[in-house]
């Protein structure tokens, strides 16, 4: 099992009171599996993704990726773990506007330096049909190209877990299809993909779809105190 | 990809923000280096000014001393060495000695180690009637100065009278209608008038100067003199004269020393006073320059830290703005796995680059400003130039201090950027 989440709870303090973003969420993603979590806005999808990626410490519950529980690591080690294990793809791409395509991809190597990073970057550019755009800035790219750059950046350090937050939200259907193909391909090659989306069409491309509503997975209600009793 | 490359590209992307920060660092370094350069230029100009004035003073003193030496001749001799049996009362009354001593005495004195006597003139004087002209005269035989052997040669104060020549006092030349070049007879010998003195109002006006040897022959006093004139003795003050008198008595026990104390002292004191005044003027100049320097130091000590603090604040505010503008970028970099200290390094490297460039540019601008300011405050004449502005340690201080200042000013923004919650930032965006 690549990712195992158990009893995840996350609350936010807000001026209007406490917001329960996640409530006893448990799920697992195996190597080679492409799992989609579908839910409306505000259902806790992004919180779930960030928590799974070691970016947001849960209030309760555990996250285990492979043999590692990232929240048991100190921030330095957790960052290193994230650099080696997790790849993030976001709806907004988050590309540095002043770096060209190749440099944006290589930015991931700052977190996990390796001598063959430039070679891997070029391979990824070839694979995602970005080679001719290597010297272009993000502002000179189409949405689909930008998202492919973001995906290449996420894959540069050869992660085993890919976390995607509405990655097709800004793409037309053709580009969305291409991107989903890549994600499926990543899973088919032994990676684990956890994608959150509100789009049915995207969710249908996954091997398995879970529905998140008001911080709880449907058909996977939060455990009651009685459920947690040893008896 | 390296942090430096990322920094470099970001600087190129946000040129205005970097340029504003750079300008601020340049202003701070310019102010600090300018103040230092101004003080360095002040010191260099002061040194040159004082050196020039000291040289002028030295030259003035030398000129004054030369004038004094010449004036001594008109005033009379510093010392008159007379035979011991000479009646001083007669000497004062007649104005010349009537006793004799060996001419060799002057050579003994010259060979002595008395360093306070400079010019030695042996003379033979006698009051007599000029038979051919029927005039009362004082005949004075003089010789060239006898050099002091233990001292370097000095310019002679009096010119010797050659054989066959005579020099006439005013009364004689006027009364007898004699002029230089004319032939005249004295005690049967023919002389050519070499020079006629202007009126002095002393017995010199009725004196005839001829060569000492001729005078000795004419007066039948071969090998004798009756006075040795010691000119321009360094014997200012009663203690000096007493010491000199004792020294001369040690060498020539058969003589007595008469000094022209009051005139010597007055002149010596006048000379000393002129020297002291000149030295005091120099000291006043030195103090005025030091006071001006303190004033400039005071202004610099107030202004430079103020400008540096203001610039540091501005750099800090710009760094805050930069960190704020890059929140999303920092968020994604953290999501990619960059550690907090790498994020800090990202911002501090930018500040370091700003400081390094600002330090170099500011140093050059500071030198220029210092030179211009110094020139406008003190005038172009005697400007010290770039060489006078350079001080060891200022360039390294600028190149190290400016990056340090920029990094310190950017420290808090960099720390806040490094500590920002990436999840929250990415969610907000």
């Amino acid at each position: 099992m690549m990712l195992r989440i158990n009893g995840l709870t996350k609350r936010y303090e807000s001026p209007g009171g406490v917001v329960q973003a996640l409530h006893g969420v448990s799920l697992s993603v195996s190597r080679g599996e492409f799992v989609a979590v579908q839910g409306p806005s505000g259902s806790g999808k992004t919180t779930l993704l960030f928590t799974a990626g070691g970016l947001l410490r849960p209030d309760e519950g555990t996250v285990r990726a492979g043999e590692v529980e990232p929240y048991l690591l100190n921030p330095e080690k957790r960052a290193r773990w994230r650099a080696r294990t997790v790849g993030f793809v976001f709806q907004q791409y988050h590309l540095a506007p002043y770096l060209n395509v190749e440099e944006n991809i290589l930015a991931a190597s700052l977190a996990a330096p390796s001598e063959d990073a430039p070679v891997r970057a070029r391979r990824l550019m070839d694979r995602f049909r970005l080679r001719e755009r290597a010297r272009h800035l993000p502002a000179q790219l189409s949405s689909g190209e930008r998202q492919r750059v973001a995906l290449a950046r996420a894959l540069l350090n050869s992660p085993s877990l890919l976390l995607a937050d509405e990655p097709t939200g800004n793409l037309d259907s053709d580009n969305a299809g291409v991107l989903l193909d890549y994600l499926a391909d990543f899973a088919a090659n032994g990676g684990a993909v956890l994608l959150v989306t509100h789009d049915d069409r995207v969710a249908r491309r996954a091997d398995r779809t879970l529905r998140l509503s008001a911080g709880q997975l449907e058909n996977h209600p939060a455990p009651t105190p009685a459920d947690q009793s040893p008896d | 990809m390296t942090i430096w490359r990322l920094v470099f590209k970001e600087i190129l992307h946000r040129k205005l923000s970097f340029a504003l920060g750079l300008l601020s660092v340049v202003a701070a370094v310019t102010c600090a280096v300018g103040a230092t350069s101004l003080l360095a230029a002040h010191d260099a100009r002061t040194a040159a000014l004082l050196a020039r004035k000291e040289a002028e003073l030295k030259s003035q003193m030398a000129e004054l001393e030369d004038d004094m030496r010449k004036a001594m001749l008109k005033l009379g001799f510093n010392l008159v060495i007379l035979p011991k049996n000479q009646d001083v009362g007669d000497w004062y009354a007649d104005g010349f000695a009537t006793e004799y001593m060996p001419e060799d005495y002057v050579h003994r004195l010259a060979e002595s180690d008395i360093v306070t006597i400079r010019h030695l003139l042996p003379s033979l004087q006698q009051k007599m009637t000029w038979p051919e002209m029927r005039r009362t005269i004082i005949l004075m035989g003089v010789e060239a100065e006898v050099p002091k052997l233990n001292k370097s040669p000095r310019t002679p104060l009096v010119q010797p009278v050659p054989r066959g020549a005579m020099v006439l006092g005013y009364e004689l030349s006027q009364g007898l209608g004699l002029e230089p070049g004319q032939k005249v007879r004295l005690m049967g010998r023919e002389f050519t008038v070499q020079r006629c003195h202007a009126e002095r109002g002393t017995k010199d006006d009725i004196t005839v100067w001829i060569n000492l040897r001729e005078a000795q022959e004419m007066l039948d006093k071969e090998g004798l003199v009756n006075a040795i004139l010691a000119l321009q003795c360094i014997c200012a003050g009663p203690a000096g004269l007493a010491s000199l008198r004792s020294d001369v008595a040690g060498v020539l026990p058969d003589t007595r020393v008469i000094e022209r104390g009051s005139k010597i002292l007055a002149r010596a004191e006048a000379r000393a006073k002129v020297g002291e005044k000149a030295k005091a003027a120099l000291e006043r100049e030195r103090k005025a320059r030091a006071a001006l320097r303190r004033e400039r130091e005071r202004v610099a000590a107030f202004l430079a830290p103020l400008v540096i603090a203001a610039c540091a604040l501005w750099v800090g505010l710009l760094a805050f703005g930069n960190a704020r503008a890059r929140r999303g970028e920092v968020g994604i970099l953290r999501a990619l796995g960059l550690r907090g200290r790498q994020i800090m390094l990202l911002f501090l490297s930018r500040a370091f680059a700003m400081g390094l460039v600002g330090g170099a540019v500011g140093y050059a601008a500071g030198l220029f400003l210092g030179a211009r300011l110094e020139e406008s405050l003190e005038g172009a004449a005697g400007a010290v130039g770039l060489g006078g502005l350079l001080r060891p340690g200022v360039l390294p201080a600028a190149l190290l201090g400016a990056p340090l200042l920029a990094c310190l000013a950017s420290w808090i923004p960099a720390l806040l950027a490094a500590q920002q919650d990436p999840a929250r930032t990415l969610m907000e965006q």
Side-chain angles (χ1 to χ4, degrees), chain B residues 7 23 154 188 210 227 232 252 287 298 367:
Chain B
V7 169
L23 205 64
R154 299 181 67 90
I210 61 171
Q232 211 209 353
L252 305 174
K287 282 182 179 166
R298 199 178 62 77
L367 285 185

Side-chain angles (χ1 to χ4, degrees), chain B residues 80-267:
Chain B
V80 182
I81 300 166
L82 300 173
K84 194 167 189 174
N85 54 356
Q86 172 66 46
D87 185 320
V88 178
D90 290 348
W91 183 76
Y92 276 121
D94 300 338
F96 60 89
T98 50
E99 297 297 328
Y100 301 93
M101 56 188 167
E103 186 187 344
D104 181 53
Y105 276 19
V106 73
H107 298 291
R108 281 165 65 180
L109 206 53
E111 286 160 13
S112 73
D113 56 359
I114 302 174
V115 295
T116 48
I117 293 181
R118 293 195 174 175
H119 304 270
L120 293 170
L121 274 174
S123 68
L124 179 66
Q125 303 174 348
Q126 188 163 313
K127 188 177 179 182
M128 58 176 286
T129 301
W130 189 343
E132 287 85 352
M133 299 294 181
R134 293 190 183 87
R135 285 274 190 151
T136 300
I137 61 167
I138 295 172
L139 182 66
M140 181 174 285
V142 292
E143 199 185 44
E145 286 178 34
V146 178
K148 283 283 288 170
L149 297 181
N150 58 351
K151 295 179 74 70
S152 56
R154 299 181 67 90
T155 312
L157 283 176
V158 291
Q159 297 301 316
V161 183
R163 286 182 82 94
M166 69 164 52
V167 176
L168 296 174
Y170 180 77
E171 178 57 31
L172 292 176
S173 63
Q174 291 298 307
L176 300 173
L178 293 173
E179 290 178 351
Q182 279 189 302
K183 305 275 185 195
V184 65
R185 296 192 76 81
L186 172 62
M187 294 177 74
R189 291 191 182 211
E190 188 176 78
F191 291 89
T192 303
V193 177
Q194 186 187 34
R195 201 164 64 250
C196 299
H197 283 310
E199 187 172 16
R200 290 177 178 175
T202 65
K203 66 179 177 59
D204 283 358
D205 290 346
I206 56 161
T207 300
V208 175
W209 288 269
I210 61 171
N211 182 271
L212 178 63
R213 296 279 164 266
E214 282 192 296
Q216 286 170 334
E217 289 163 11
M218 287 160 67
L219 300 174
D220 200 20
K221 300 291 181 191
E222 277 91 350
L224 296 175
V225 294
N226 53 8
I228 299 170
L229 313 172
L231 307 183
Q232 211 209 353
C233 302
I234 311 169
C235 53
L241 284 168
S243 166
L244 179 59
R245 184 175 287 159
S246 159
D247 289 344
V248 172
V251 178
L252 305 174
D254 293 338
T255 60
R256 64 167 61 211
V257 177
I258 307 295
E259 43 84 14
R260 307 275 171 104
S262 58
K263 288 177 181 175
I264 297 163
L265 289 176
R267 284 290 174 170

